Amino acid sequence: MVWLSLSLSLSGLASSSKTFLTSSSLLFSFVPPKPRLPPPSSSSSSSSSSFRSRVPTTARVISSFAGGSISDSNDDALSGVCPNFSGVRLEETVPIDSGKVRLDSWISSRVSGISRARVQSSIRLGLVRVNGQVVDKVSYNVKAGDEINCEISELRPLKAEPENIPLDIVYEDDSVLVVNKPAHMVVHPAPGNPTGTLVNGILHHCSLPTVAFKNEEILSDDEDIIDDELKDISVGHSTTGASVRPGIVHRLDKGTSGLLLVAKDEHSHAHLSNQFKLHTIQRVYVSLTSGVPSPLSGRIEVPIGRDSNNRIRMAAIPGATNRNQARHAASRYKVIEILASGGSALVEWRLETGRTHQIRAHAKYLGIPLLGDEVYGATKSMSLSLLRPRTPSDSYGQLAKLVSGFERPCLHALALGFRHPYTEKNIHFTCPPPPDFALILSQLRQIGTVKPSA
């Protein structure tokens, strides 16, 4: 048994079965895996999700696909026809009550499930006509009566090159890699972030060739919405055709720091992905919130889907049953410390599901958006309005500077536990929050801190 000790100021954090907390440090253990057996031979396969279009009865959606085409305004007629939207054409006249709206936003609202990044690509490629004229400006404002003719572009492989990027590696063996991802690092290449990502660094670290993402739509960074963590999101195939398939088994938002699991081979990827699917992966997050939840601990079981009013965020939608609108999501939370005399809280989160932006959406639903998370309601003015009445006058300036300068959701993936894909041993890792998180936590503690009774 190997014992490691990490200094951690989050005293009082609830521990897992193999994590023990002292007053000043967090101790954790893991069993180094035995030499792995050769992975069994297997062939990879992929399945495509079905396509459904949501358009008014006045619209005409034409879907081209292998073996023929279909023209119909009925949603069900297109189900399963175009799994990647490629070749879908939309013909519609903008209604009178549409108001002022950008071309990319308007088209995105007419085709359910497609991302704005995908629509923007189609516009820039000259595949959109307004009143018979090609419009390649995504911010063009449509007007009532405009006749829109749009064809969705085909998905193109996105190549990722190895880059010598320093990685904070917490654990590594022949089959798995656990990385402490810094805040502001994008996990994998996207149209807005083709380089400098975690995947670029992993390709260099593992001495893998250039790879391409195939049959997968990658959202631009300004949209910053990712697929849920249960989806197979392996890096892809090498340009030579040999299957390398290292995989990011789950993803963290760009602004979220902390532990992230990577599979180095196909067997490990399948094994770990199945653990996520069965919800047996142990994940613990900590956050700083704007306000304090009531009650101080609980379980949230509210479906999460795309926010109909803002496509760059998700929303908790009570009572939603339509799978296309929202998906089942459950989170457990517990207040570790009440900070700044009730203006904030240090909250532990344990996920039962892995939906896009799950913690951020559930925190907003509880009325306690994460500090720094302006997309989900924690504007700087809102956060400071909660902290100002509780802050001594001599420290308000410093606190206001910290809050105003915090440019990410105050969320950190603290702990990760899983069953090793070859040894079948349960291993656990913990990593303390980065300095920016620790600094604002320290400042909030100076204003006032109370630990709830057990």
Side-chain angles (χ1 to χ4, degrees):
M1 182 70 70
V2 179
W3 288 90
L4 302 180
S5 175
L6 286 178
S7 175
L8 181 63
S9 61
L10 300 175
S11 58
L13 182 66
S15 61
S16 61
S17 59
K18 291 192 176 182
T19 304
F20 305 90
L21 187 67
T22 67
S23 60
S24 60
S25 66
L26 184 68
L27 300 177
F28 68 97
S29 65
F30 69 88
V31 179
K34 301 174 183 177
R36 66 182 180 92
L37 300 174
S41 60
S42 61
S43 59
S44 61
S45 62
S46 61
S47 60
S48 300
S49 58
S50 62
F51 166 82
R52 296 179 63 85
S53 175
R54 182 192 69 247
V55 295
T57 55
T58 56
R60 182 169 180 243
V61 176
I62 304 172
S63 175
S64 300
F65 62 100
S69 64
I70 183 170
S71 175
D72 203 308
S73 60
N74 188 320
D75 290 359
D76 293 335
L78 296 176
S79 179
V81 171
C82 291
N84 290 314
F85 299 100
S86 298
V88 167
R89 298 204 308 273
L90 170 69
E91 297 177 359
E92 186 175 356
T93 299
V94 179
I96 297 176
D97 59 352
S98 62
K100 184 178 180 181
V101 61
R102 284 167 46 126
L103 180 60
D104 58 344
S105 297
W106 188 84
I107 295 174
S108 298
S109 71
R110 317 315 286 171
V111 183
S112 179
I114 197 169
S115 76
R116 193 185 307 177
R118 183 72 175 284
V119 172
Q120 289 174 345
S121 175
S122 303
I123 295 172
R124 293 188 179 110
L125 288 171
L127 299 178
V128 176
R129 292 177 178 269
V130 179
N131 300 323
Q133 301 295 318
V134 173
V135 175
D136 58 6
K137 186 178 180 181
V138 299
S139 60
Y140 172 87
N141 288 321
V142 302
K143 300 181 292 296
D146 281 348
E147 294 183 0
I148 310 295
N149 188 306
C150 170
E151 180 178 349
I152 303 301
S153 62
E154 293 185 2
L155 285 172
R156 298 182 178 181
L158 178 66
K159 294 183 179 179
E161 301 281 349
E163 293 182 56
N164 187 8
I165 300 172
L167 300 177
D168 184 1
I169 297 177
V170 176
Y171 174 80
E172 181 177 14
D173 62 23
D174 289 343
S175 54
V176 297
L177 185 68
V178 178
V179 179
N180 178 26
K181 186 188 88 68
H184 307 297
M185 174 181 268
V186 176
V187 171
H188 60 72
N193 296 279
T195 60
T197 72
L198 184 65
V199 164
N200 294 112
I202 290 172
L203 291 175
H204 179 273
H205 176 79
C206 297
S207 299
L208 295 172
T210 299
V211 298
F213 293 83
K214 294 186 178 181
N215 300 318
E216 180 180 6
E217 184 175 345
I218 306 298
L219 298 174
S220 60
D221 181 53
D222 60 351
E223 190 136 338
D224 196 29
I225 293 180
I226 59 176
D227 299 327
D228 70 72
E229 294 177 342
L230 306 185
K231 182 180 177 183
D232 181 345
I233 48 178
S234 60
V235 169
H237 297 276
S238 70
T239 54
T240 61
S243 179
V244 291
R245 296 182 67 82
I248 306 296
V249 183
H250 66 124
R251 287 187 263 189
L252 299 176
D253 295 343
K254 176 183 176 181
T256 304
S257 58
L259 297 174
L260 188 141
L261 180 59
V262 180
K264 285 187 171 184
D265 58 61
E266 197 161 357
H267 168 76
S268 298
H269 189 277
H271 194 285
L272 294 169
S273 295
N274 189 56
Q275 291 183 53
F276 272 99
K277 184 177 181 179
L278 298 175
H279 311 306
T280 57
I281 297 281
Q282 297 178 19
R283 291 170 290 170
V284 180
Y285 295 75
V286 287
S287 70
L288 294 174
T289 60
S290 297
V292 180
S294 179
L296 298 180
S297 64
R299 180 177 183 271
I300 314 167
E301 188 173 4
V302 181
I304 290 177
R306 191 183 291 268
D307 191 326
S308 60
N309 298 316
N310 187 338
R311 288 185 60 83
I312 70 170
R313 72 185 180 198
M314 307 301 283
I317 308 174
T321 57
N322 188 327
R323 186 175 178 83
N324 289 329
Q325 290 183 339
R327 302 183 68 184
H328 169 72
S331 309
R332 295 183 183 273
Y333 73 92
K334 178 180 178 181
V335 173
I336 304 305
E337 286 184 67
I338 298 174
L339 302 164
S341 302
S344 180
L346 176 64
V347 180
E348 172 194 289
W349 300 85
R350 294 176 182 263
L351 301 185
E352 295 182 17
T353 55
R355 305 303 179 211
T356 299
H357 295 183
Q358 179 170 322
I359 290 175
R360 298 166 67 185
H362 275 170
K364 183 177 187 297
Y365 177 77
L366 288 175
I368 52 159
L370 309 186
L371 278 178
D373 196 355
E374 298 211 16
V375 172
Y376 284 85
T379 62
K380 294 176 175 60
S381 59
M382 179 266 198
S383 299
L384 288 173
S385 68
L386 290 172
L387 297 170
R388 184 194 298 266
R390 302 168 171 85
T391 305
S393 57
D394 59 347
S395 60
Y396 176 72
Q398 182 181 0
L399 179 63
K401 183 178 180 180
L402 280 174
V403 172
S404 298
F406 207 88
E407 299 295 339
R408 70 176 182 95
C410 219
L411 181 64
H412 176 73
L414 178 74
L416 178 68
F418 56 93
R419 192 171 71 257
H420 193 276
Y422 286 99
T423 67
E424 299 292 333
K425 298 290 186 180
N426 289 321
I427 51 180
H428 303 261
F429 303 96
T430 306
C431 187
D436 63 341
F437 189 114
L439 181 61
I440 196 167
L441 171 61
S442 175
Q443 183 69 28
L444 293 173
R445 279 174 168 162
Q446 289 179 25
I447 299 172
T449 176
V450 175
K451 294 182 180 180
S453 56

